[in-house]
Structure formats: structure tokens, C-alpha cells
Amino acid sequence: MSAALSAAHGPSGPSGAVTGGDLRLENLTKHFGSFAAVDDVSLTVPQGSFFALLGASGCGKTTTLRMVSGLEDPTRGRIFLGETEVTDLKPYRRPVNTVFQNYALFPHLDIFENVAFGLRRRGVKDVKGPVERMLDLVELGHLARRKPAQLSGGQQQRVAVARALINQPQVLLLDEPLGALDLKLRRQMQIELKRIQTEVGLTFVHVTHDQEEAMTMADTIAVMNAGRIEQLGSPAELYENPVSTFVANFLGQSNLIAGTVEGKDGDVVVVDAQGQRLTLPAKRSRIDSGRIIAGVRPEKVHLARSEAEIPAGHNVLTGGVVSDASFIGVSTQYLVKMPWGAEAGCGEVAVFEQNTGREIQRPGTPVLLHWDPTQTFGLDGAQDIDAGSGIDDEATA
Ligand code: ATP
């Protein structure tokens, strides 16, 4: 634990009963009537890590968080902090604090007193030093005597974080804490929260439907879908090796093309994708026979006007025509219409080409698409190829 926190509270936590360790959920399930809001979730959040629960509205994130904090009783399953089971502990007995989207600050108290609240309630006499250290941590020492209404949204959110941290929880739960902020402030607060987490070294569990937010902040992301964990891993693992079409579409953008495995050649899987031959590394393919979905991220794909421009060994798709070209400064984002229907996956392939000064291809231009085959991933062809696409927009709207 950091100097800032241990100096604020001394070595023992508020309950004194539960010692540190990983947060572990075992087969956690919550039914509302016959509906499974959280369905058999098992996962471990390593102590001191920044963990994000990412998913669309209604997938069960908040319910999971409420079970960890003790505000909701699980229908089944167990919750551990280190070696100690906390499933049946009352909320105030758990070394867990929550920061909510609406801050829930006391409007009539100034910032200092808002942060001091938890200490005063526990009968701590000398609150000045710990509160000042907390306000320094969130860089609000100079505003200690203001009321919440006199602060910006981002500043109020930092007060909420300080007020939770001063209780010296082992785990800080953040339930869409940045949801009420505008985009620019949200980006600033993401960096700020990550800095605070690194400085205090506590376990943060952050719930969000914003995939960019999860990727920016978290060491580990669990992607939730319909009450279940779809995939868990580092942002890079999830992005480069999604296990399902849901993750491929929900986390960033993917070009997915339905095909059939033609065979395996050493460590390479050979695919017939709508009559075109693609290869991918066997270790990046979840399937080695039958129906497959080949995927590649837009920034990995390049445009060419002729075969001569394409490096040997690249995957090539022919028959494309540029349907849209948007110059956005750092890159040009293309859509390329392919000679197959949307049922085969992306009827239009997205290509993000870095701005290196190359001529921009206008709509209507016939192009070849190519990429390094090692950048291709392979998914089970029996899935809904569109799962997870468009969900984020709905949730954000
Ligand atoms: P959001 O991002 O919109 O907050 P979420 O992923 O956090 O969504 P939850 O709030 O966990 O989702 O809700 C999961 C599902 O359980 C939803 O379909 C919701 O309607 C349902 N649900 C949540 N609380 C209750 C309740 N008390 N009674 C009945 N159904 C509930």
C-alpha cells in the first residue's frame, strides 16, 4: 500500500477482519425471478490491479458489483477476498467502497468535511492530516473549503474517490464513475484515476460500457455478455485474439469474413473465404476444419492499385471498390465494397490507412486489399457474425 494511504489510516483496515488478497468470484449467479442477470461468473481480480468489467447496458455489470459490495445477495456462488469468504458479510463489514456515477456527495458539507466523513463516523479524532493527504492525492487541496456545487463534474468525481479511499478499502468499486462527464473531461479523468490507482496500489474494479475507457485504464478486462464472461484478458490480448465474434465486434472494429477451412499446412490454416484464399496462423485460429470466420482489424489492412505493390506472401482480397474515404488527419478511413453480400460478413471492409502522405483513393476506385497473414485471426464459423456490433452506440446514446 502507498505511503499516502497507510499514513492516512495506519496498517489495519476499517473492519480489521479481512486481510488483503485477490478478489475471487466463484460461480456467482443472480436471478431476478426466472431471469439470470448474472450467470455463473467465476473470475479472479489480482490484488492491486485495475480491473474493468466491460459490457453493454443490461449485461449484469452493476449487479455483479452490487454483490461484491454486499448490496445484493447472490442466488448462488461465493465471493472471497484473499482467503476470507465475504459472501454473507454485511456491506459495512466488507473492506470495499463504491464510487457511483452521481458522486453522492453531501451538498451542505464542504469538500474537506465530505472527505472527512468516513473518519468522523468511525470516531477518528485527528482527521486533518489524513484528509489533507487525501485531497493532495486527488489534487484538490486548494478547494478544501468549497461546497460540491462550486466544483466541476470532474472535481466532484475526484472528491468522491478521495472520500471512498479514506476508508482504506482493499477494493474500490467504480460504477460508471465517469458516465456523467463530457468526453474531454472523461478522457482526462481516465488518466487521473489510473494515476491515483497506481499511486495507492489498491484493487480497482471499474464498470463501464465504454470499450475505449476500459482499454485506456485497465490491466485486465472482463467482457460481459448476457450475464456471462465472454472473455477475460489484457486489453491487447482481447484486441488481438478475440475468442468470439461478440468480442471482435464489441471491442474495437473488426472485418469478419465467413469461409471454410480448406486444410492445414504446418502451422498455417488455409481458408476459402468467398472464393478467395486466405491463410492464418494455426495458433490464432479457434477452428481447424469446417466453417470458419476469418478476421482482421482495419489498421492491419492496406490498399493497393496493382499486384506489383503487394509484398509476397500477403493475404489478398480482389474485387473491391472504394465506397467511402474519410480523411481524419492522422489517417484515412476507407470502406471498400466487396463482391459478396453482407451475409458473408463485412460486405464493406474497413481500412484505416495511416497518413504517410500517400495519395487518397477516391470512391469508385477499384482496389486490392492485402495484409500480413499473421495479423489474421480465426473464429468458430457457427456464430452470429454480427454479434456485438452496434451495441456500444446504443448503450452510449
Ligand atoms: P447498465 O450499464 O445499464 O447499468 P448493467 O450491465 O449494469 O447495465 P445490471 O444493472 O446489472 O446491468 O442489470 C442486469 C439485468 O438485470 C438487466 O436486464 C436489469 O433489467 C435486470 N435487473 C437489475 N436489477 C433488477 C431488479 N432489482 N429486479 C429485476 N431485474 C433487475
Side-chain angles (χ1 to χ4, degrees), residues 32 35 37-38 55-64 72 176 207 209:
F32 294 111
F35 174 70
V38 177
S57 182
C59 74
K61 308 177 297 288
T62 298
T63 306
T64 305
E72 200 79 71
E176 298 267 9
V207 156
H209 63 257

Side-chain angles (χ1 to χ4, degrees), residues 33-360:
S34 60
F35 174 70
V38 177
D39 193 3
D40 202 27
V41 165
S42 295
L43 56 84
T44 298
V45 180
Q47 183 176 16
S49 67
F50 202 126
F51 189 93
L53 264 181
L54 172 69
S57 182
C59 74
K61 308 177 297 288
T62 298
T63 306
T64 305
L65 219 58
R66 285 170 61 82
M67 288 192 279
V68 173
S69 64
L71 296 174
E72 200 79 71
D73 290 328
T75 308
R76 207 172 39 245
R78 307 203 293 169
I79 303 166
F80 293 86
L81 261 171
E83 294 306 308
T84 313
E85 182 170 1
V86 301
T87 321
D88 298 320
L89 282 187
K90 294 267 182 258
Y92 60 86
R93 289 247 159 248
R94 302 183 190 203
V96 171
N97 262 91
T98 308
V99 175
F100 297 99
Q101 178 174 338
N102 61 5
Y103 324 135
L105 300 179
F106 302 115
H108 58 289
L109 298 181
D110 67 19
I111 300 316
F112 184 98
E113 287 304 323
N114 262 282
V115 175
F117 182 79
L119 295 182
R120 293 209 193 279
R121 200 176 48 173
R122 297 209 313 271
V124 176
K125 291 272 171 338
D126 184 15
V127 300
K128 189 166 180 292
V131 171
E132 283 176 357
R133 276 192 290 275
M134 260 314 130
L135 287 174
D136 282 349
L137 176 71
V138 298
E139 296 175 341
L140 287 176
H142 59 297
L143 301 179
R145 291 302 164 197
R146 286 218 192 148
K147 295 279 174 58
Q150 296 169 306
L151 300 188
S152 72
Q155 289 166 337
Q156 290 185 45
Q157 193 54 273
R158 279 188 275 160
V159 177
V161 170
R163 197 179 58 167
L165 285 177
I166 207 159
N167 295 324
Q168 201 184 352
Q170 285 172 31
V171 179
L172 188 70
L173 305 176
L174 302 125
D175 192 359
E176 298 267 9
L178 310 180
L181 307 179
D182 68 42
L183 188 64
K184 191 159 170 235
L185 200 50
R186 213 153 73 208
R187 298 286 172 249
Q188 282 171 11
M189 277 299 292
Q190 288 166 9
I191 295 164
E192 186 65 8
L193 272 179
K194 182 71 195 151
R195 177 191 67 76
I196 292 170
Q197 191 270 338
T198 308
E199 212 164 310
V200 298
L202 294 178
T203 310
F204 277 32
V205 180
H206 182 102
V207 156
T208 180
H209 63 257
D210 180 338
Q211 47 103 9
E212 202 175 311
E213 183 164 304
M215 301 220 3
T216 308
M217 301 169 80
D219 305 308
T220 308
I221 300 175
V223 179
M224 271 191 98
N225 179 21
R228 290 179 161 267
I229 302 295
E230 188 95 7
Q231 188 174 1
L232 188 149
S234 70
E237 268 165 42
L238 298 190
Y239 188 79
E240 301 300 347
N241 288 309
V243 298
S244 63
T245 53
F246 182 89
V247 177
N249 289 322
F250 188 68
L251 204 83
Q253 219 177 313
S254 289
N255 294 303
L256 301 179
I257 306 163
T260 315
V261 175
E262 279 194 335
K264 225 175 138 185
D265 184 3
D267 295 337
V268 170
V269 175
V270 182
V271 174
D272 175 345
Q274 307 303 310
Q276 315 219 26
R277 184 179 179 277
L278 301 178
T279 62
L280 63 142
K283 62 176 190 305
R284 293 194 68 182
S285 186
R286 303 190 61 79
I287 221 91
D288 59 8
S289 65
R291 287 167 65 200
I292 189 171
I293 293 169
V296 62
R297 298 290 191 177
E299 72 282 4
K300 309 288 186 349
V301 185
H302 309 283
L303 299 185
R305 295 298 307 276
S306 70
E307 295 267 358
E309 295 173 41
I310 300 176
H314 266 203
N315 278 335
V316 182
L317 291 177
T318 59
V321 177
V322 174
S323 51
D324 188 63
S326 306
F327 175 73
I328 58 159
V330 289
S331 66
T332 301
Q333 305 199 345
Y334 291 101
L335 287 176
V336 178
K337 179 93 186 73
M338 300 310 292
W340 55 71
E343 70 289 350
C346 45
E348 288 183 310
V349 171
V351 180
F352 299 164
E353 193 167 73
Q354 215 189 332
N355 179 2
T356 53
R358 247 185 114 198
E359 182 196 357
I360 294 173

